[in-house]
Amino acid sequence: MAAARPRRVLRTQAERRAAEKAWRQANPGRYRELKRRWRVNNREQRRAEHRARKIRRRAAVIAHLMQKQAGRCVYCPTLLSAKTCHIDHRMPRALGGTNDLFNLQLTCIPCNLRKHAKHPDVFAQMVVNPVVCNT
Ligand SMILES: [Zn+2]
């Protein structure tokens, strides 16, 4: 049997959250089922929230890497902006690289397109005499 919800009116957001958390912990199976039903009935909202989260994460990753790389492409001296950079996987996903932050770097668009899915060491040899990319 499900635990009874508290009868008194919860006035603050913190009180409501604490009561909801207690209910979730007391009714894990029911909570899972309600959550599943909500996901099925709200696919568009879920997709919108997923997109929004992805955009916020991408912006945070770009801001972090931009600061780390002083706003420049890792392969050439091109100055980057959020709109003129690509997030590159140092070790390409095709070669087993991950999406972890330590595997990401910012490049200008021409450098990233030239690098494609090459191993970082192979591409580094190609960039012995880096060209300045005008993007
Ligand atoms: Zn570049």
Side-chain angles (χ1 to χ4, degrees), residues 73-78 80 107-112 114 131-133:
C73 172
V74 290
Y75 297 115
C76 72
T78 303
L80 302 170
T107 66
C108 66
I109 295 167
C111 283
N112 193 38
R114 276 177 40 216
V131 292
V132 177
C133 306

